[in-house]
Amino acid sequence: MHPDKEAERNEILMERLKPYIYSIFIFLCFGGFNIVSKVSLDRGMNQYVLVAYGFAFGTLTSTVLALLFERKNQSKLNLPICLYIFFLGFLGVIARILYYAGIQYTSPAFAAAMNNLNPSVTFVLALLCRLEKLDVTKLNGQAIIGGTIISFVGAALMTLYKGITLISMHSTHNHRHATSKVSLYRNLMKGSVILLVQSLSISAYFILQTITIKKYPAPLTLTSLMSLAGTLIATVAAAILNHRASSWKLSWDITLLAALYSGILLLGISTYIQALVVRKRGPVFMTAFTPLSTLVTAIMSLLILGEALHLGGVVGGTLIIIGLYVILWGKEDQKRQKTFEPAVCEEQDIEAKAEK
């Protein structure tokens, strides 16, 4: 094969792989964040202050990146886009506050498992907003529905069924033994409701981000402005809901790491990469990788927090991965048919003209 053609082929392959690589990176980051934030909150970090610091560091990071890579940005702001940016910041703050509340009532593994609802919720919202199309008569449409159901069943299995203990790391970090079953059940119910609302808010965020990035195609600048809006909203919320000035003090420990991790890696870099993925492949494709953060969180919870690994977690995780691949196959086949059908129609038009 000619070197130029080989290079072109590799470039095309890399372009196709980028959304997958980016999405995997994002949710690996989320998996680590689940553990870091839980440890930070357990050590006394205020959840509202942590949200405010996260958005502040995210604003700083994304602004620096925007100045470096989008200095020649020609996109213009108008009132509708400014409103979109404000609501993106608002939804981001609400989702983060609800997540911190939910993780305190449950556990990182449970919260990560609940986040597997995001692909299905996002898909339903995308259908309602006409950002996605689904033909249930075609195999790819049935695959997307079936994969979503399989992933949901796997997440539910991880959450509701423990089964026998496969691996147990006896750790003093695990405080569940000291909690009564009734209290544990109540916390689980509260946490489940909170995380369900969080799933709705984050799915709405993905939909609004998809709409906004089409109207303002400058992802780094958009991320910076959204983080700035989130910083202002989160700071006001923290000032109202938390009156202790000492809560804003950052020490050289896990609390500082959690704020930096949340701001730089998630709200700064990952949000920008997220915008690239949803602009290229849509919100459903990106959220389909959510199960990866569940598996990463389950492994890290075992090694760091000492949470036991049960049979239900292993079987549920396997179902989640199967569901993920089924959804991705459906999306890929859907995309292939979209590019194939116009080519067929064009060929038929040429043949019809030739016959005339």
Short mmCIF file of all heavy atoms in Angstrom, two decimals, residues 78-85 215:
data_model
loop_
_atom_site.label_atom_id
_atom_site.label_comp_id
_atom_site.label_asym_id
_atom_site.label_seq_id
_atom_site.Cartn_x
_atom_site.Cartn_y
_atom_site.Cartn_z
N ASN A 78 -24.60 35.77 22.54
CA ASN A 78 -25.84 36.54 22.52
C ASN A 78 -26.67 36.13 23.73
O ASN A 78 -26.26 35.26 24.51
CB ASN A 78 -26.61 36.32 21.21
CG ASN A 78 -26.83 34.84 20.91
OD1 ASN A 78 -27.11 34.05 21.79
ND2 ASN A 78 -26.69 34.48 19.64
N LEU A 79 -27.82 36.73 23.90
CA LEU A 79 -28.62 36.49 25.10
C LEU A 79 -29.05 35.02 25.24
O LEU A 79 -28.91 34.45 26.33
CB LEU A 79 -29.85 37.41 25.11
CG LEU A 79 -30.77 37.29 26.33
CD1 LEU A 79 -29.98 37.59 27.61
CD2 LEU A 79 -31.96 38.22 26.20
N PRO A 80 -29.56 34.36 24.18
CA PRO A 80 -29.94 32.95 24.34
C PRO A 80 -28.76 32.06 24.76
O PRO A 80 -28.92 31.19 25.63
CB PRO A 80 -30.45 32.56 22.94
CG PRO A 80 -30.90 33.84 22.34
CD PRO A 80 -29.95 34.88 22.85
N ILE A 81 -27.58 32.28 24.18
CA ILE A 81 -26.42 31.48 24.54
C ILE A 81 -26.00 31.74 25.98
O ILE A 81 -25.62 30.82 26.71
CB ILE A 81 -25.25 31.75 23.57
CG1 ILE A 81 -25.60 31.23 22.17
CG2 ILE A 81 -23.96 31.09 24.06
CD1 ILE A 81 -24.58 31.56 21.11
N CYS A 82 -26.07 32.99 26.41
CA CYS A 82 -25.75 33.33 27.80
C CYS A 82 -26.71 32.63 28.77
O CYS A 82 -26.29 32.17 29.84
CB CYS A 82 -25.80 34.84 28.01
SG CYS A 82 -24.43 35.73 27.24
N LEU A 83 -27.98 32.55 28.39
CA LEU A 83 -28.96 31.84 29.22
C LEU A 83 -28.64 30.35 29.26
O LEU A 83 -28.74 29.71 30.32
CB LEU A 83 -30.37 32.07 28.68
CG LEU A 83 -30.95 33.47 28.88
CD1 LEU A 83 -32.30 33.60 28.19
CD2 LEU A 83 -31.08 33.79 30.36
N TYR A 84 -28.25 29.78 28.10
CA TYR A 84 -27.85 28.37 28.06
C TYR A 84 -26.67 28.13 28.99
O TYR A 84 -26.63 27.13 29.73
CB TYR A 84 -27.47 27.96 26.63
CG TYR A 84 -28.63 27.82 25.67
CD1 TYR A 84 -28.45 28.01 24.31
CD2 TYR A 84 -29.89 27.50 26.12
CE1 TYR A 84 -29.50 27.89 23.41
CE2 TYR A 84 -30.95 27.38 25.25
CZ TYR A 84 -30.76 27.58 23.90
OH TYR A 84 -31.81 27.45 23.02
N ILE A 85 -25.69 29.02 28.95
CA ILE A 85 -24.50 28.89 29.79
C ILE A 85 -24.86 28.96 31.27
O ILE A 85 -24.35 28.18 32.09
CB ILE A 85 -23.46 29.96 29.43
CG1 ILE A 85 -22.87 29.67 28.04
CG2 ILE A 85 -22.35 30.04 30.47
CD1 ILE A 85 -22.01 30.78 27.49
N LYS A 215 -24.65 25.78 18.85
CA LYS A 215 -24.87 27.21 18.65
C LYS A 215 -23.62 28.03 18.96
O LYS A 215 -23.46 29.15 18.46
CB LYS A 215 -26.02 27.69 19.55
CG LYS A 215 -27.37 27.06 19.21
CD LYS A 215 -28.45 27.56 20.14
CE LYS A 215 -29.79 26.94 19.79
NZ LYS A 215 -30.29 27.38 18.48
#
